[in-house]
Amino acid sequence: MNSKVFYFPEIPPRSPYFNLAIEEAIALKLVSEGMTAGVRLWKNPDSIILGLSENPFRNIKEEVVTKYESVVKSEGFHKKPKPNFCYIARRASGGGTVFHSLSGNINYSLYFNLEERKDLFPVRDSYDILLGIVSKSLKRQNIVSFPKGKSDLVLEKNGILKKISGNAQFRKRNCIVQHGTLILDDHLIERVAEVLHHPPEEPDYRKERSHKEFLTSLPDFFSEKIWAKDLVKEVFSYLGEKEPEDFSKISFFGPDFSTFRKQVLRESESIRKKKYQNPEYTLHREIPT
């Protein structure tokens, strides 16, 4: 393997259970397979993603939970997205409940080997460093953002701070994963209000503002394609390595990562079936043995 840093580009739509299982499987295999770091970009179909300790019956509107339970009993789930449906899923990281959609936001994940990047051990330091990487990647498109609260990125609009990104972390087998979302379209904000209650806990700077008042999307000139490369470049900069010239050489799907990829995909299948698409885990955080 020529590089120890991989780039996992966006792939055709999959269910949130597939995406979350891939997320955890990468973390489980990263250090043992000798990886230093990785960047992944991904999107979910309409999905409510609970933080690890969140209560779905408190955060999600009742009719959405009822429909989810009905589909679980009658049809079950598959890898590919189910049309005209709002999924409910529970992730491995803490934090609040969020809403994803294919057109409304893009998700990013940053992976680092803690044995090699000991500066990321302290939680507060790790958020500062990793939010800084994302903020610098946006600055390359002249979008000025900065951290606020525990793990948000915000823009200033007419003197008012508005959230464009929420982030959370989990750590497994000496791998730190920080994932977050960037809001691309204001339509997503409307959908958030349709499916979620006002959060039971909120950062001080929110000041009880509604979803519509608190959240905002990135400017129209924002390019996902440009930003994808800029984010990878900022990770390489943080690692003190030269920016990649040929992104195909660091692709998760390239020949240099074939062994790592096989290990991740095999692990993710087991996790997806046993954990992520299991309604007992989603609604009650229980995993059958």
Side-chain angles (χ1 to χ4, degrees):
M1 187 177 295
N2 298 323
S3 174
K4 291 185 178 181
V5 183
F6 69 87
Y7 168 50
F8 192 138
E10 189 181 337
I11 61 173
R14 295 289 189 271
S15 78
Y17 312 118
F18 174 90
N19 281 325
L20 292 170
I22 287 285
E23 190 88 317
E24 183 172 340
I26 290 174
L28 292 173
K29 296 298 180 182
L30 185 128
V31 174
S32 64
E33 293 299 316
M35 301 290 108
T36 295
V39 177
R40 179 183 176 222
L41 300 180
W42 47 290
K43 290 183 177 180
N44 275 330
D46 282 13
S47 305
I48 296 166
I49 311 296
L50 295 154
L52 183 61
S53 301
E54 292 284 273
N55 182 347
F57 305 100
R58 185 179 182 188
N59 291 274
I60 304 171
K61 294 191 175 178
E62 184 179 357
E63 61 271 21
V64 181
V65 178
T66 299
K67 185 172 182 181
Y68 162 84
E69 291 179 309
S70 174
V71 169
V72 167
K73 292 177 182 177
S74 62
E75 303 173 38
F77 298 115
H78 307 281
K79 288 183 187 179
K80 293 186 178 180
K82 179 177 174 58
N84 304 313
F85 178 68
C86 182
Y87 288 89
I88 301 174
R90 185 182 297 276
R91 62 183 186 267
S93 62
T97 301
V98 296
F99 177 76
H100 294 168
S101 78
L102 292 174
S103 62
N105 72 287
I106 185 167
N107 303 303
Y108 54 86
S109 305
L110 305 177
Y111 307 84
F112 292 94
N113 184 329
L114 285 170
E115 294 178 358
E116 299 182 20
R117 301 303 313 191
K118 297 187 186 302
D119 54 328
L120 294 174
F121 265 114
V123 173
R124 183 66 266 168
D125 290 353
S126 66
Y127 271 116
D128 289 343
I129 292 167
L130 301 181
L131 287 172
I133 288 173
V134 180
S135 186
K136 288 174 185 175
S137 70
L138 294 172
K139 186 67 169 62
R140 289 181 179 233
Q141 289 191 59
N142 295 315
I143 298 171
V144 178
S145 64
F146 50 92
K148 194 69 178 174
K150 179 185 177 182
S151 56
D152 295 344
L153 281 179
V154 299
L155 299 177
E156 186 173 331
K157 285 194 170 184
N158 301 318
I160 299 172
L161 298 180
K162 294 206 169 193
K163 179 178 174 179
I164 56 162
S165 173
N167 292 259
Q169 287 184 9
F170 67 93
R171 303 175 183 216
K172 290 184 182 289
R173 296 183 186 173
N174 282 329
C175 174
I176 180 174
V177 183
Q178 180 161 309
H179 48 201
T181 180
L182 287 176
I183 301 176
L184 303 175
D185 193 307
D186 284 340
H187 177 66
L188 177 101
I189 302 169
E190 297 172 9
R191 288 286 285 128
V192 169
E194 290 174 3
V195 299
L196 297 180
H197 296 299
H198 191 91
E201 297 181 16
E202 60 179 35
D204 292 340
Y205 80 97
R206 179 165 183 159
K207 298 178 180 177
E208 299 183 356
R209 285 181 285 171
S210 68
H211 295 301
K212 189 173 182 179
E213 294 169 326
F214 179 57
L215 303 171
T216 193
S217 59
L218 287 165
D220 292 339
F221 62 78
F222 173 75
S223 166
E224 292 180 56
K225 187 175 292 188
I226 293 172
W227 174 71
K229 292 189 174 181
D230 286 343
L231 182 61
V232 174
K233 289 174 181 177
E234 286 297 338
V235 167
F236 273 78
S237 176
Y238 161 65
L239 293 171
E241 298 187 15
K242 184 181 177 182
E243 294 180 355
E245 295 180 1
D246 184 352
F247 276 66
S248 67
K249 295 281 182 66
I250 61 169
S251 173
F252 178 81
F253 299 101
D256 286 346
F257 294 90
S258 59
T259 301
F260 178 54
R261 181 173 63 253
K262 288 175 184 175
Q263 293 284 343
V264 167
L265 294 176
R266 185 182 300 117
E267 184 77 28
S268 71
E269 277 296 280
S270 173
I271 297 172
R272 177 178 63 85
K273 292 173 181 176
K274 183 177 180 180
K275 179 178 177 182
Y276 285 107
Q277 69 183 38
N278 188 318
E280 291 303 310
Y281 174 71
T282 300
L283 297 180
H284 308 290
R285 201 180 163 187
E286 295 179 1
I287 305 174
T289 56

